[in-house]
Amino acid sequence: MNPYSRSKLTCESDSGLKVPPLACLLLLFLIISGTLGKAVCTIPNSYSDFESLNFNYLINQINFNRIKSDIYNLANFTSRVTGYPGYSRAAEYIYNVFNQHLQNVHYENYNLTIPIDQGANITISSTGETIEAYPLWPNDVETCSTPKMGVSGKLVYVGKGGLSEYSGDVNGNIVLMNFDSTQEAMITAMDWGAKAIIFAETETTSNNAFSKILDLPVYIPRVFVRAKDAAYLLDILKSGQVNVTVKSSIVWKEISAKNIVGVLPGSDPQY
């Protein structure tokens, strides 16, 4: 699933100083890169002091190799959506990094209701072969889960979903569409009666992912397949009609989530 729900990471200062956003960003870099030192002690007490801050000095304190390492490690925790295994691993990782540099590091627990992915697959009717798929994020509160038996129909490939790319009737059938398509293309397939949409992995951006989610509780099962599986579906389509069954299941569940809090003591005796 796509990661659109995240817990907060909070770093508090007990000095009472309100630091401008850019300074906060630089501090976060310094914390994560393990370079907390003299640069932190130069935090300005006013915006006029802030303007005279030596940013070149601050930037030189940043350990970019450490940042790359942190990004690499976090990216390898699989999905970091709140409530999923990667989320817990990422929270533990950040907690340990905070513990190296901050005081009073602790979790703030709270309950959150999120959609839990219970799996999806595509079955090719003629052979019984099953292809792993991944449900997309719900449309508002609508999970778009299929019945237990799934939804079945003829597979129709429409490329990016342009009107000229439709070569068959999608009404009552299953559409295979490139993931780098627009939201308008998805809505067109829905309007023309598609039972479900299978999105094929392509070179893509986060905007492509967000465009597959509607802000209204509209029911339309949507799943994602890897490029190799999409290529296989396209290959067997060359031999003629292919019927498939799409199964997808997502449930809403209340889970325990957490903020990660650490304290960076101030150095000004006035506070």
Side-chain angles (χ1 to χ4, degrees):
M1 290 179 62
N2 297 312
Y4 300 113
S5 176
R6 294 182 173 87
S7 289
K8 300 175 183 177
L9 301 179
T10 306
C11 179
E12 298 177 347
S13 172
D14 61 8
S15 68
L17 176 65
K18 294 182 179 179
V19 183
L22 180 56
C24 291
L25 180 60
L26 285 170
L27 279 174
L28 181 58
F29 278 149
L30 290 168
I31 290 170
I32 297 299
S33 63
T35 57
L36 282 174
K38 293 182 179 179
V40 174
C41 297
T42 63
I43 298 175
N45 291 310
S46 67
Y47 279 94
S48 59
D49 291 340
F50 174 76
E51 292 175 354
S52 63
L53 191 63
N54 187 342
F55 284 101
N56 287 331
Y57 174 77
L58 286 176
I59 291 172
N60 289 333
Q61 306 309 303
I62 298 174
N63 184 336
F64 288 101
N65 288 330
R66 175 62 188 271
I67 292 175
K68 289 179 181 178
S69 175
D70 288 332
I71 292 173
Y72 177 83
N73 290 328
L74 289 168
N76 277 281
F77 291 153
T78 64
S79 175
R80 297 180 302 282
V81 173
T82 304
Y84 287 74
Y87 164 83
S88 298
R89 294 177 63 193
E92 182 181 3
Y93 182 90
I94 295 168
Y95 181 92
N96 291 334
V97 172
F98 273 28
N99 251 334
Q100 296 172 24
H101 308 292
L102 304 176
Q103 297 180 13
N104 191 25
V105 178
H106 60 279
Y107 291 119
E108 290 182 344
N109 295 309
Y110 61 97
N111 292 333
L112 180 68
T113 301
I114 62 165
I116 297 294
D117 174 5
Q118 294 192 316
N121 61 66
I122 301 161
T123 301
I124 301 170
S125 301
S126 60
T127 64
E129 294 174 88
T130 299
I131 294 173
E132 185 177 14
Y134 307 88
L136 270 64
W137 196 259
N139 290 330
D140 195 63
V141 297
E142 175 57 72
T143 64
C144 299
S145 296
T146 65
K148 288 185 178 181
M149 297 300 293
V151 293
S152 302
K154 181 176 68 175
L155 187 64
V156 181
Y157 178 60
V158 298
K160 290 187 177 183
L163 297 181
S164 62
E165 297 181 272
Y166 281 82
S167 58
D169 184 12
V170 303
N171 186 36
N173 291 315
I174 311 296
V175 166
L176 176 62
M177 184 182 294
N178 293 349
F179 196 66
D180 58 352
S181 53
T182 65
Q183 187 174 89
E184 289 73 17
M186 180 182 72
I187 292 174
T188 296
M190 294 165 49
D191 288 343
W192 288 4
K195 283 186 176 180
I197 303 175
I198 301 169
F199 287 104
E201 180 181 21
T202 55
E203 291 288 336
T204 188
T205 67
S206 59
N207 287 335
N208 295 131
F210 281 108
S211 72
K212 306 301 182 290
I213 305 167
L214 301 176
D215 294 327
L216 297 173
V218 178
Y219 179 78
I220 176 68
R222 295 149 298 129
V223 299
F224 175 90
V225 293
R226 295 296 185 188
K228 63 179 181 60
D229 295 318
Y232 178 68
L233 290 173
L234 289 172
D235 188 55
I236 60 177
L237 267 176
K238 296 176 183 177
S239 302
Q241 180 173 318
V242 176
N243 291 338
V244 298
T245 297
V246 175
K247 295 180 181 179
S248 175
S249 178
I250 296 177
V251 297
W252 289 99
K253 183 177 179 181
E254 185 177 278
I255 57 95
S256 177
K258 62 190 70 174
N259 293 330
I260 308 170
V261 181
V263 176
L264 178 63
S267 59
D268 192 327
Q270 178 182 351
Y271 298 100

